[in-house]
């Protein structure tokens, strides 16, 4: 059996990304291991059991730095499912997180698009 374990998310700074994902979205810091003077293995994940983890990967080259906040050319990049859409929507507002579109009712449930600290777009789906 296979499953998706990690998705690399290119970030500008480890500590600001950890703070944003844990404090604003309520993710759990799973691991923060120093690999060298400039590289760490940093994993965060949503609270749901079996959730895929984000590997926060600090941009090291100019090309990587150009991708911070725009890994998918402006398309929604990640999809966060919730069992309490209204509570999570209220948390986004309370945390000052930019809501780009919505919320709206779709065939598959309520959805809104929000931006993370670097501008990557996420769907919140409930």
């Amino acid at each position: 059996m296979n499953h998706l374990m990690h998705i690399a998310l290119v970030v500008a700074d480890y500590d600001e990304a950890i703070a944003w994902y844990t404090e604003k979205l309520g993710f759990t810091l799973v691991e923060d291991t120093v690999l060298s003077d400039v590289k760490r293995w940093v994993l965060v994940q949503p609270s749901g059991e079996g959730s895929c983890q984000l590997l926060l990967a600090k941009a090291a080259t100019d090309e990587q730095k150009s991708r911070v906040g725009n890994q998918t050319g402006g398309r929604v990049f990640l999809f966060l499912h919730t069992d309490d859409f209204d509570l999570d929507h209220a948390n986004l507002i309370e945390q000052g997180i930019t809501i780009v579109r919505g919320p709206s009712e779709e065939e598959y449930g309520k959805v809104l698009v929000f931006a993370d600290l670097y501008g990557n777009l996420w769907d919140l789906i409930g």
Side-chain angles (χ1 to χ4, degrees):
M1 178 176 177
N2 299 329
H3 68 277
L4 189 59
M5 191 166 165
H6 309 303
I7 295 175
L9 180 66
V10 181
V11 301
D13 179 83
Y14 290 118
D15 294 322
E16 75 178 357
I18 290 168
W20 195 88
Y21 282 100
T22 59
E23 295 169 15
K24 301 278 186 179
L25 287 187
F27 283 23
T28 300
L29 177 61
V30 175
E31 184 174 351
D32 184 358
T33 302
V34 175
L35 301 176
S36 73
D37 289 344
V38 295
K39 190 172 183 180
R40 290 158 55 183
W41 182 261
V42 178
L43 297 171
V44 297
Q45 77 178 38
S47 60
E49 187 173 323
S51 291
C52 181
Q53 298 172 344
L54 289 180
L55 171 65
L56 303 179
K58 184 176 177 183
T61 66
D62 287 340
E63 184 175 2
Q64 290 172 7
K65 289 174 185 175
S66 76
R67 302 302 193 270
V68 172
N70 192 18
Q71 293 192 188
T72 59
R75 293 192 59 124
V76 170
F77 177 43
L78 298 163
F79 300 80
L80 184 61
H81 285 259
T82 177
D83 58 2
D84 193 336
F85 184 91
D86 295 330
L87 178 68
D88 287 333
H89 178 207
N91 180 64
L92 294 176
I93 292 168
E94 181 180 313
Q95 295 296 330
I97 295 172
T98 301
I99 297 174
V100 177
R101 263 189 320 276
S104 63
E105 287 282 342
E106 303 296 336
E107 293 177 18
Y108 49 86
K110 291 181 182 178
V111 64
L112 63 78
V113 178
F114 69 92
D116 70 11
L117 75 162
Y118 298 116
N120 293 300
L121 299 180
W122 289 67
D123 267 3
L124 177 67
I125 302 170

